[in-house]
Amino acid sequence: MPPGEEVAITSNDDVVRVRHVVRAAAAAAGLSLVDQTKLVTAASELARNTFAHGGGGTMRVERATGELGRRGVRVVFTDDGPGIADVEQALTEGWSSGAGLGLGLSGARRLSDEFSLRSETGKGTTVTVAKWLR
């Protein structure tokens, strides 16, 4: 896997491309099929949010090393959209700013081993997820 492979997210087709790139990176890193599926599902939700709510942005996937030398895959989504006014509310299971089920951010957090979200109103959002080898 190339270090820091990046995908622009400007259409629904790019959401599909994100899934393929993340699946390949997770497999190359040696994640189990179950963990690959969890990471791809989280990435799909985050890519969809990046496009639908952030007006588009980028996804970067890379091999990662965590605490205690853990190895895995980290995926970072960034947009320059309107940001999230109430991050705590946005992470609440079932809450949606649109017509969705409200499972995007909370679901991605649940499916990941590590999750971080930084957002500033009017300046955009960055969401980072990681999945570690077991």
Side-chain angles (χ1 to χ4, degrees):
M1 167 175 62
E5 184 170 354
E6 194 165 287
V7 174
I9 303 170
T10 59
S11 70
N12 281 320
D13 289 340
D14 295 326
V15 174
V16 174
R17 183 157 180 252
V18 163
R19 287 197 299 259
H20 290 292
V21 169
V22 171
R23 168 84 61 196
L31 292 178
S32 71
L33 185 56
V34 169
D35 284 342
Q36 289 176 41
T37 302
K38 288 179 179 180
L39 185 60
V40 169
T41 302
S44 181
E45 291 299 322
L46 295 171
R48 193 176 337 276
N49 281 357
T50 299
F51 175 62
H53 300 291
T58 60
M59 180 276 311
R60 187 180 73 251
V61 61
E62 59 195 15
R63 284 193 186 196
T65 303
E67 293 177 17
L68 305 173
R70 293 188 298 179
R71 294 179 301 117
V73 177
R74 179 176 294 117
V75 189
V76 181
F77 294 86
T78 305
D79 68 62
D80 295 322
I84 301 170
D86 187 338
V87 170
E88 189 172 325
Q89 182 181 41
L91 287 169
T92 301
E93 191 92 20
W95 185 86
S96 176
S97 64
L101 297 174
L103 300 174
L105 288 174
S106 62
R109 179 171 60 177
R110 191 175 53 255
L111 292 166
S112 304
D113 293 332
E114 288 186 11
F115 178 95
S116 71
L117 185 152
R118 289 180 299 130
S119 188
E120 190 172 341
T121 303
K123 295 191 177 183
T125 302
T126 299
V127 181
T128 304
V129 293
K131 200 72 179 158
W132 304 111
L133 287 166
R134 306 215 182 275

